[in-house]
């Protein structure tokens, strides 16, 4: 029982027993305060019921702050708009891991280390052969990251800061190689090894698109060099995906961390959770849905379908659990999409369908009253299509960006002395 005279408390009355219980209200630096109910079951004999954790804070964190009503997103206190405009993805990775942006020299060292760690053990490369030619790259990616754990056993017991960072740098660096290999495996074509002369993002595009031994690239409409504008757009997409506080896949990563499993196994579980259409898989579904709609004149019928309470059809790329205003990442990507319109030939039928959906949904009472705005996946789907990246690689690209967030959250969990194994309760309604 807490001091009832204290204003930072919350008193609850059980009307069945007329007993009252008082709990502390915890104040963060920003965002809603949190009721500390850690002793609730011991005090009252009751569990709390909150499917989908819509009102439950499961940890404290200093990594990412979101104000869903205002449409605000910050990594380590820095606004996402600032990071997207003035900093690279690698600077963002350094920021998440080290709680501050790097100096020029620190960035050079970090960049060099990430380039050098991008190679995969030859034993691991054999794993890719086990997958069928048309395997989805997310399946291969998740399996390969689990396999990676067996090459770096030492990361299961990390004792100091240096070892935490080595473990984190290793996975950030190798994920693009694994994703590119998974893609090439799905096409049945030989792998392109990482090139330490190339930046993080250009290296990934090259490993994905280059012909073996040459500078030509596999593109839908011929063989082209990778353009700077493509590298810049993809780097921005990586930055916007870098972290997003306690989303579904991060919650999975923390849950696996809580059991003491290897950090790369936790990342592999995060990859599996991200794959779903309600989460990171939405970017692939957005384009599949636009292709299915097929032409601008059919858009209105699909909007009506999405609004029908008796139809489970949903507009992919719309809505968000936390943002009840425009997703700030979507705003940045909408601007990027407009900038890229001329340079990347965005004026296709698919883009016209997307624009029509966006226009109707933003003014339709059903979407407006439910705060259903286009989310990040709506625009990444469109931009990645313009970059001639195949649909099956959209979610692996989300994985590349998010790996730093997952691993930073894993480290935070491990360092937090209040962390406990994740073990929710239930309301039993069976026999
Ligand atoms: N199309 C049509 N209606 C929708 C949509 C949509 N995309 N999203 C939500 N709604 C409706 C629901 O039917 C519900 O209506 P009701 O109140 O009349 O029953 C209302 O809006 C609230 O929906 P919930 O499912 O309760 O919202 P929740 O916060 O649980 O779900 C989610 C959020 C999963 C993102 C949901 O909006 C959705 O399925 N969107 C489509 C998939 C998608 O784009 N996912 C990517 C999210 S971003 C990310 O993970 C990176």
């Amino acid at each position: 029982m807490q001091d009832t005279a204290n204003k930072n408390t919350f008193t609850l009355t059980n009307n069945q027993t007329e007993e009252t219980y008082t709990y502390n209200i915890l104040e963060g630096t920003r965002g809603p305060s949190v009721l500390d109910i850690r002793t609730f079951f011991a005090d009252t004999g009751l569990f709390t019921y909150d499917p989908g954790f819509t009102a439950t804070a499961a940890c404290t964190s200093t990594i990412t702050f979101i104000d869903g009503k205002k449409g605000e997103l910050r990594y380590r206190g820095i606004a996402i708009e600032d990071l997207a405009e003035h900093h690279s993805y690698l600077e963002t990775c350094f920021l998440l891991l080290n709680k501050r942006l790097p100096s020029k020299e620190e960035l050079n060292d970090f960049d060099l280390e990430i380039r050098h760690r991008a190679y995969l053990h030859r034993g691991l490369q054999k794993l890719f052969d086990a997958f069928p030619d048309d395997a989805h790259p997310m399946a291969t990616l998740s399996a390969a990251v689990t396999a990676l754990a067996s090459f770096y056993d030492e990361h299961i017991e990390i004792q100091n800061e240096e070892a935490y960072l080595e473990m984190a740098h290793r996975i950030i660096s190798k994920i693009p190689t694994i994703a590119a290999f998974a893609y090439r495996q799905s096409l049945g074509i030989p792998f392109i090894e990482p090139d330490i002369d190339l930046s993080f993002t250009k290296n990934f595009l090259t490993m994905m698109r280059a012909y073996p031994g040459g500078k030509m690239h596999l593109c839908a409409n011929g063989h082209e060099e990778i353009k700077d504008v493509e590298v810049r757009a993809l780097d921005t997409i990586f930055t916007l995906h870098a972290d997003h506080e306690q989303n579904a896949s991060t919650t999975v990563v923390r849950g696996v961390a809580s059991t003491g499993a290897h950090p790369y196994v936790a990342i592999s579980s995060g990859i599996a959770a991200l794959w779903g259409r309600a989460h990171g898989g939405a970017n692939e579904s957005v384009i599949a849905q636009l292709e299915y709609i097929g032409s601008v004149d059919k858009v209105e019928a699909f909007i009506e379908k999405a609004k029908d309470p008796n139809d489970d059809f949903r507009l992919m790329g719309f809505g968000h659990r936390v943002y009840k205003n425009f997703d700030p990442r979507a705003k940045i990507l909408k601007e990027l999409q407009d900038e890229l319109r001329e340079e990347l030939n965005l004026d296709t039928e698919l883009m016209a369908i997307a624009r029509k959906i966006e226009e109707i949904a933003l003014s339709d009472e059903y979407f407006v009253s439910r705060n259903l705005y286009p989310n990040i996946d709506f625009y990444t789907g469109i931009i990645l299509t313009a970059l001639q990246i195949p649909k099956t690689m959209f979610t692996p690209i989300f994985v590349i960006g998010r790996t730093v967030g997952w691993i930073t959250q894993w480290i935070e969990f491990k360092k937090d002395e209040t962390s406990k194994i994740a073990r929710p309760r239930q309301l039993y309604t069976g026999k």
Side-chain angles (χ1 to χ4, degrees):
M1 292 269 182
Q2 306 296 330
D3 175 12
T4 45
N6 182 351
K7 274 198 172 162
N8 282 334
T9 59
F10 197 105
T11 299
L12 294 161
T13 304
N14 180 342
N15 293 325
Q16 290 174 328
T17 62
E18 293 184 354
E19 279 189 88
T20 61
Y21 305 90
T22 301
Y23 294 94
N24 283 335
I25 295 174
L26 306 177
E27 304 290 350
T29 43
R30 293 194 62 187
S33 307
V34 169
L35 190 60
D36 182 355
I37 55 160
R38 279 175 290 182
T39 61
F40 188 80
F41 176 57
D43 296 341
T44 66
L46 300 173
F47 295 148
T48 57
Y49 182 60
D50 181 22
F53 314 121
T54 55
T56 298
C59 62
T60 62
S61 183
T62 66
I63 303 170
T64 292
F65 174 75
I66 300 173
D67 184 330
K69 275 197 191 136
K70 279 201 208 153
E72 180 182 356
L73 168 63
R74 290 173 183 273
Y75 300 157
R76 300 288 191 194
I78 302 182
I80 192 67
E81 292 80 4
D82 184 8
L83 291 167
E85 195 174 338
H86 304 296
H87 300 281
S88 67
Y89 174 67
L90 278 193
E91 283 175 276
T92 304
C93 290
F94 188 100
L95 168 71
L96 286 170
L97 288 167
N98 299 282
K99 306 183 185 173
R100 61 177 175 81
L101 284 164
S103 66
K104 210 173 161 208
E105 199 184 9
E106 284 169 330
L107 180 61
N108 280 342
D109 290 348
F110 181 55
D111 185 4
L112 206 62
E113 183 183 348
I114 295 295
R115 290 179 194 221
H116 278 86
R117 288 192 186 280
Y119 297 88
L120 299 186
H121 192 287
R122 288 194 58 76
L124 181 63
Q125 295 194 16
K126 290 185 199 141
L127 177 90
F128 292 82
D129 291 338
F131 287 82
D133 276 355
D134 57 355
H136 195 291
M138 283 296 280
T140 323
L141 185 53
S142 173
V145 172
T146 296
L148 195 64
S150 60
F151 289 85
Y152 301 103
D153 265 355
E154 69 271 25
H155 293 331
I156 201 157
E157 287 298 341
I158 296 181
Q159 306 293 351
N160 58 51
E161 192 59 27
E162 209 180 313
Y164 274 122
L165 288 178
E166 182 186 49
M167 177 279 294
H169 295 176
R170 187 166 266 147
I171 188 75
I172 291 167
S173 181
K174 292 188 193 306
I175 282 269
T177 313
I178 298 175
F181 283 17
Y183 171 61
R184 296 182 80 97
Q185 166 64 26
S186 74
L187 295 181
I189 57 175
F191 303 147
I192 299 289
E193 292 289 340
D195 181 345
I196 53 166
D197 288 336
L198 300 179
S199 71
F200 179 87
T201 301
K202 189 162 187 179
N203 185 40
F204 167 66
L205 274 173
T206 304
M207 288 189 290
M208 210 182 107
R209 299 213 303 221
Y211 273 119
K215 286 196 182 298
M216 303 296 272
H217 292 271
L218 300 165
C219 288
N221 61 358
H223 309 140
E224 297 168 7
E225 286 298 315
I226 290 167
K227 299 184 186 110
D228 288 347
V229 62
E230 294 179 288
V231 176
R232 186 169 61 80
L234 191 56
D235 203 77
T236 304
I237 288 176
F238 287 153
T239 298
L240 300 180
H241 279 130
D243 193 53
H244 213 232
E245 52 119 299
Q246 309 312 316
N247 57 85
S249 54
T250 301
T251 299
V252 167
V253 169
R254 280 184 177 257
V256 177
S258 81
T259 69
H262 191 288
Y264 296 169
V265 173
I267 299 297
S268 171
S269 310
I271 293 171
L274 191 77
W275 195 359
R277 284 197 310 157
H279 194 10
N283 52 18
E284 184 178 340
S285 303
V286 166
I287 297 301
Q289 196 169 78
L290 297 181
E291 286 169 351
Y292 183 69
I293 294 173
S295 60
V296 174
D297 58 312
K298 294 201 185 125
V299 167
E300 296 211 16
F302 279 93
I303 297 268
E304 289 312 310
K305 211 168 143 52
K307 287 158 58 175
D308 182 351
N310 301 315
D311 192 327
D312 60 8
F313 176 84
R314 285 192 169 197
L315 267 194
M316 287 293 124
F318 279 79
H320 198 278
R321 168 61 61 77
V322 177
Y323 294 117
K324 299 304 173 194
N325 192 328
F326 225 82
D327 177 341
R329 304 165 301 171
K331 220 181 228 168
I332 294 167
L333 287 182
K334 184 172 163 48
E335 282 165 22
L336 184 66
Q337 173 196 287
D338 293 341
E339 272 175 46
L340 296 178
R341 175 157 287 134
E342 278 184 21
E343 289 184 82
L344 291 177
N345 185 26
L346 276 164
D347 286 320
T348 60
E349 178 70 8
L350 218 58
M351 301 305 147
I353 300 171
R355 270 201 301 278
K356 181 83 180 166
I357 292 181
E358 187 187 7
E359 188 190 301
I360 299 181
L362 287 176
S363 57
D364 189 290
E365 200 276 331
Y366 173 94
F367 292 89
V368 174
S369 64
R370 288 169 179 75
N371 298 308
L372 299 171
Y373 295 92
N375 56 46
I376 185 169
D377 290 319
F378 185 73
Y379 295 106
T380 43
I382 293 170
I383 293 175
L384 293 175
T385 301
L387 298 185
Q388 303 186 38
I389 289 174
K391 284 198 294 288
T392 55
M393 283 304 285
F394 292 2
T395 316
I397 282 171
F398 195 151
V399 168
I400 296 174
R402 181 56 55 84
T403 296
V404 65
W406 286 329
I407 213 66
T408 307
Q409 299 268 355
W410 188 92
I411 294 171
E412 187 175 74
F413 180 91
K414 286 290 166 183
K415 290 182 175 174
D416 181 350
E417 285 169 6
T418 65
S419 293
K420 285 171 103 67
I421 187 165
R423 181 37 173 111
R425 304 301 191 123
Q426 64 175 11
L427 176 64
Y428 180 69
T429 58
K431 278 189 191 166

